[in-house]
Amino acid sequence: MSAMFRSSIVHRRKARTRDGLRQVTSLAASLAALSLLCWAATAGAQCGGISSTPNAAEDCALHAVPADRAAQIDPAHPYPLAELIDIAENNNPRTHIVWERAKQAAERLGIAKSAYYPVLSGIAAFADQRTISPFPKPLAPRGYTMVEVPVIQPELTLDYLLFDFGKREAKIDSAAAEKLAAGANFIRANQEVAFGVATAYYKLQTAQERLTATQETLKTAQTTQDAAEAQLNNGRSTLPDVLNARAETSQAVFDNESADGDQKIARVALTEAIGAEPSPNIIIDRQDKTSLPQALTMTIEALIDRAIQDRPDLAAQAAEIRAADQEARAAKAEYLPRIALSATGAQTSIWPTTDYGQLGNASEPTWTVGLGIEWRLFDGGARKNELAIAQSKGRVARDEMREKQDQATREVWTAYIGFRTAMRKQQAAEALLDSANASYSASFDAYKYGVKNLIDVVTAEKQLAQARLSGVSARSELFLQAVNLEFVTGNLLRKQPSATQTQDGQKP
């Protein structure tokens, strides 16, 4: 298995080296193929559960506002897993955070696009100016004239950037990539919340089944104790045997109380995961009749390929690479000139007065138009450093992509091995429980007839208790490993075929 793992890693690294930026572009394009479907398609489902693509999730987040409230839990209603995930998508604080970040990314794209439009401003000036001007005395008796000019001037100004060698386009592409990344992160956050709810759900189910198992063990211990006391009364047992049986009963009581506390703590953890006020007052639909996943429907190579293509975190990282590339493009455009149009138009009205002579009033339209070329020739290295930073971000983004791809591959391998191991453990647990039941029944019957001693019965009783707990743990672990396999391949909450199936061929 390890050799296959190393071979797969080497093969994929060679492919990345060969494909280079083409692979990044392909991953960014694959965002359009990401489809999401909430397990509970209710009218109040959050954007991440009803949107089919990161762009759709972004648009939903832009026009919707998450409800600022905590989930209300009905203590009398048994909640299935699908309904709990739907509640979490609407109420978990994590989804609210990424919702708002997605909204901010969409707004930043709108800001970037606004650079293509002219800036139109309105100004209204109201002024009164009084000046003194020297003037020859023969013409002005006091040797100066005093002029007062009231002015009213409403004005419109227009600034329009005509050409900037692609800087605005690069900024828009960068903002669009960041918007796409925010949408993918939004989907991933919903998947993480759903996985967290599923984990808490199965932990609670495990705790409840463990409580049931300890209760059965307590009944078994009490039965053994009753038999030992009956044998003592009949003179066919000893007091140490009875004391031993009583000790096993006390241990079973202790284990039962411990399991009861654990399942209450698991209830609190589940309410917290769905965004409700932490409380043990929640009931789950345990779905005891749900078929166990029994087989994989995909090879490990296909699972890794699905993860590389469909995981939202990888898609978001591909968008980050694109954003970094466009940021470098915008930095390069700073080295080139800008061509801009500026214009003003106004209606200027004045009523000048003077203490000597007579001045005329005026109310005329005035305007200016200019076409300017701005070219920064020297800026002390600011553009050079900005370009270096942008190029460095691109290299970092590519290294992070490689790291995340390797991490995704490791997680898929771990989940794959974990599911196969969980299947074998479940099969072994079933066989162990059957054997332990038969062993205890045989030992107990033999003890009642005096063929075996109490030590044999107690030993079989302990084995039965351990077998019950092992069966509980194996069942829940198998469900959880199946969910984990969908999560690490980016398929959680999606409509694509499941990686596992039950004996009847259905998705677990």
Side-chain angles (χ1 to χ4, degrees):
M1 188 69 71
S2 60
M4 292 176 61
F5 176 75
R6 290 194 297 271
S7 176
S8 176
I9 291 295
V10 170
H11 172 73
R12 295 182 187 283
R13 283 180 172 169
K14 287 182 177 179
R16 284 197 295 268
T17 303
R18 182 174 61 251
D19 295 342
L21 185 59
R22 182 170 63 85
Q23 185 194 36
V24 173
T25 305
S26 174
L27 279 171
S30 70
L31 285 169
L34 277 174
S35 60
L36 246 278
L37 180 67
C38 180
W39 289 359
T42 62
Q46 211 209 85
C47 295
I50 62 177
S51 300
S52 58
T53 65
N55 267 329
E58 270 287 316
D59 292 339
C60 176
L62 177 62
H63 298 99
V65 177
D68 187 15
R69 58 181 174 83
Q72 299 298 317
I73 298 300
D74 182 359
H77 172 67
Y79 289 92
L81 178 58
E83 187 174 355
L84 291 171
I85 290 176
D86 184 61
I87 294 173
E89 286 184 340
N90 283 280
N91 297 277
N92 190 289
R94 174 79 185 282
T95 62
H96 287 199
I97 293 171
V98 294
W99 192 325
E100 293 297 342
R101 287 176 178 170
K103 186 188 295 289
Q104 294 166 17
E107 299 291 0
R108 283 194 292 269
L109 177 58
I111 293 173
K113 288 181 177 180
S114 68
Y116 273 103
Y117 295 92
V119 178
L120 186 65
S121 304
I123 303 174
F126 303 90
D128 188 9
Q129 183 180 25
R130 188 178 187 184
T131 61
I132 297 177
S133 301
F135 214 79
K137 278 192 174 183
L139 299 178
R142 291 183 291 183
Y144 64 88
T145 60
M146 184 176 295
V147 179
E148 186 172 354
V149 184
V151 178
I152 297 178
Q153 186 179 44
E155 178 180 287
L156 288 176
T157 64
L158 175 70
D159 293 298
Y160 195 4
L161 179 60
L162 299 178
F163 191 67
D164 62 356
F165 290 93
K167 179 180 177 180
R168 289 173 297 179
E169 182 183 0
K171 285 186 174 294
I172 289 176
D173 288 345
S174 177
E178 290 177 355
K179 175 178 177 286
L180 208 59
N185 287 329
F186 183 47
I187 292 173
R188 184 61 174 177
N190 275 273
Q191 289 184 338
E192 290 173 350
V193 168
F195 181 68
V197 172
T199 301
Y201 172 89
Y202 285 119
K203 285 183 177 179
L204 174 55
Q205 181 171 297
T206 301
Q208 289 180 328
E209 292 180 353
R210 178 170 172 256
L211 176 60
T212 301
T214 57
Q215 290 171 346
E216 292 295 326
T217 299
L218 178 57
K219 292 178 182 178
T220 302
Q222 289 173 337
T223 300
T224 303
Q225 178 182 334
D226 292 342
E229 290 178 347
Q231 294 286 64
L232 178 63
N233 293 334
N234 293 331
R236 291 186 294 178
S237 180
T238 63
L239 182 60
D241 286 342
V242 173
L243 295 177
N244 192 8
R246 289 175 180 174
E248 289 300 319
T249 303
S250 298
Q251 180 65 48
V253 171
F254 175 84
D255 292 340
N256 184 68
E257 291 298 329
S258 177
D260 183 61
D262 289 343
Q263 65 92 17
K264 289 178 180 176
I265 293 174
R267 291 178 190 274
V268 175
L270 179 58
T271 55
E272 183 179 8
I274 65 175
E277 181 180 352
S279 168
N281 299 323
I282 186 172
I283 302 174
I284 63 170
D285 182 356
R286 292 171 54 178
Q287 301 175 340
D288 294 332
K289 297 181 179 179
T290 302
S291 299
L292 287 169
Q294 296 290 340
L296 286 161
T297 61
M298 303 173 66
T299 64
I300 180 61
E301 290 78 11
L303 290 171
I304 292 175
D305 288 340
R306 170 180 281 186
I308 296 299
Q309 294 172 6
D310 294 344
R311 276 182 55 146
D313 54 339
L314 295 182
Q317 189 59 41
E320 292 291 345
I321 293 175
R322 177 183 168 191
D325 290 343
Q326 295 304 318
E327 187 176 340
R329 179 185 170 195
K332 290 178 180 178
E334 288 288 351
Y335 281 95
L336 301 173
R338 292 160 33 104
I339 301 175
L341 173 69
S342 61
T344 62
Q347 180 71 25
T348 304
S349 300
I350 61 173
W351 299 270
T353 58
T354 181
D355 61 347
Y356 184 78
Q358 185 175 359
L359 301 175
N361 300 335
S363 182
E364 298 291 341
T366 57
W367 52 270
T368 62
V369 177
L371 185 65
I373 299 178
E374 178 187 352
W375 197 345
R376 278 193 293 168
L377 300 178
F378 182 74
D379 60 2
R383 291 172 295 181
K384 176 183 176 182
N385 292 329
E386 288 174 357
L387 177 58
I389 291 173
Q391 291 173 337
S392 177
K393 287 182 179 179
R395 292 190 295 270
V396 169
R398 284 172 171 78
D399 287 339
E400 288 178 344
M401 170 64 86
R402 187 179 66 180
E403 181 182 19
K404 288 184 177 181
Q405 287 177 331
D406 289 345
Q407 178 183 352
T409 303
R410 288 195 304 271
E411 290 176 353
V412 172
W413 267 106
T414 302
Y416 174 81
I417 296 170
F419 179 79
R420 288 169 60 90
T421 303
M423 284 194 302
R424 291 193 292 268
K425 288 172 66 176
Q426 168 63 21
Q427 295 166 358
E430 290 178 353
L432 175 62
L433 183 58
D434 291 341
S435 299
N437 265 317
S439 174
Y440 175 76
S441 297
S443 297
F444 185 72
D445 290 343
Y447 174 71
K448 287 193 299 183
Y449 290 106
V451 178
K452 284 194 174 184
N453 57 37
L454 187 64
I455 295 178
D456 296 327
V457 178
V458 170
T459 301
E461 178 186 326
K462 290 180 179 179
Q463 291 175 344
L464 177 58
Q466 185 61 42
R468 286 168 177 162
L469 294 178
S470 297
V472 167
S473 176
R475 174 183 169 84
S476 294
E477 183 181 354
L478 185 54
F479 275 118
L480 189 55
Q481 288 295 339
V483 175
N484 185 44
L485 196 57
E486 302 299 331
F487 175 67
V488 298
T489 56
N491 197 42
L492 189 61
L493 302 180
R494 298 184 60 203
K495 292 180 65 176
Q496 291 196 25
S498 173
T500 62
Q501 67 180 16
T502 60
Q503 287 182 335
D504 54 5
Q506 298 297 318
K507 179 178 178 180

